[in-house]
Amino acid sequence: MTVAVAPEVRAAQRRIVSTTNASGRLNADGLAMWREVNCGEWKATAADISRDLDLLQVPHTIVTAFRFPLATSYSKAMREGEEVRILRKDLARLVRWMPSLEQTIADIRDDAPGWDFTLFQPRAGGMAIAKLALSAEWPAWSKKQARAARLVCAECDYDLREFTDETRLPYDVRLPEKPNKRRLVCGQCCNDGLDEMARLAALTQTPS
């Protein structure tokens, strides 16, 4: 028996299928769709996408996420955006409206990257773990784009998105004259953050 679908729901389905095909990013954590803040009238906003997903009864969240600056950008600041994210466990609710996704979801590797880019922050009292608010597509950025997003080692230019070498994990080691500006270096270039942790401890007279 065919169940009748309201016209507004069918319209939401068409829009979501189109948006997912055009800009959806699947990974180990789920599906994400990024929109730049103030993207204008030519593209559905994160709020527009959210309303359609509400009509389709697909659970989701909206988070702040940044992308690399454009080459033509004068300020070279990261571009702020909003990302609509659907957890992997909830994707079955979307597959109901977009059956073509089912096999693509099944093909996601178990060791595929997720949404988070994790790094270490040396502090006077010890080592902290932080996560950058990046667009979910950060693993697929080119080396040039990763460099623009400051995801390569500031010392040796090693791509810090490569998590296969435990000696080159990313550490946020800031210059003393720019303590508020994030600066990522690999573990080999900063002695796994231990030297920075000792320096900060000495400044605050905190035992390291």
Side-chain angles (χ1 to χ4, degrees):
M1 178 179 177
T2 303
V3 178
V5 177
E8 62 270 23
V9 174
R10 191 64 74 190
Q13 178 190 16
R14 288 194 293 269
R15 289 190 294 266
I16 285 297
V17 169
S18 176
T19 301
T20 300
N21 284 332
S23 58
R25 174 65 63 175
L26 273 169
N27 62 28
D29 288 334
L31 175 72
M33 291 169 277
W34 187 83
R35 286 293 183 269
E36 191 162 4
V37 170
N38 300 320
C39 61
E41 59 182 308
W42 307 109
K43 202 179 251 190
T45 64
D48 294 332
I49 296 171
S50 178
R51 281 190 289 271
D52 283 342
L53 289 173
D54 283 339
L55 280 172
L56 301 177
Q57 298 183 341
V58 178
H60 62 281
T61 57
I62 298 178
V63 302
T64 298
F66 292 84
R67 289 189 74 196
F68 55 87
L70 294 174
T72 55
S73 171
Y74 176 77
S75 69
K76 302 303 179 186
M78 294 285 282
R79 287 182 288 158
E80 182 179 356
E82 292 180 317
E83 194 158 75
V84 181
R85 292 180 175 178
I86 304 171
L87 289 171
R88 190 169 179 176
K89 68 180 181 64
D90 294 322
L91 286 176
R93 306 281 288 273
L94 181 60
V95 168
R96 173 192 174 193
W97 304 101
M98 193 176 177
S100 60
L101 267 183
E102 187 169 17
Q103 187 57 52
T104 306
I105 295 169
D107 290 341
I108 298 174
R109 304 189 328 269
D110 290 338
D111 62 345
W115 289 326
D116 294 328
F117 182 94
T118 303
L119 55 92
F120 297 93
Q121 288 184 326
R123 296 180 181 175
M127 194 71 70
I129 298 176
K131 295 177 181 179
L132 298 185
L134 299 177
S135 165
E137 63 184 4
W138 62 264
W141 292 345
S142 69
K143 179 75 175 288
K144 182 177 180 180
Q145 291 166 340
R147 189 178 293 113
R150 298 184 292 280
L151 298 182
V152 301
C153 177
E155 297 288 344
C156 70
D157 203 44
Y158 176 80
D159 192 334
L160 295 167
R161 297 173 299 165
E162 302 290 339
F163 297 115
T164 55
D165 186 346
E166 292 186 358
T167 70
R168 289 185 176 273
L169 296 177
Y171 292 82
D172 184 4
V173 179
R174 307 186 179 193
L175 296 174
E177 63 270 24
K178 296 180 180 179
N180 297 320
K181 185 176 181 179
R182 189 181 75 240
R183 178 177 175 269
L184 300 189
V185 296
C186 73
Q188 286 191 15
C189 289
C190 70
N191 189 26
D192 294 330
L194 297 177
D195 294 342
E196 177 66 4
M197 204 160 57
R199 184 186 74 84
L200 294 173
L203 287 176
T204 59
Q205 297 183 339
T206 302
S208 59

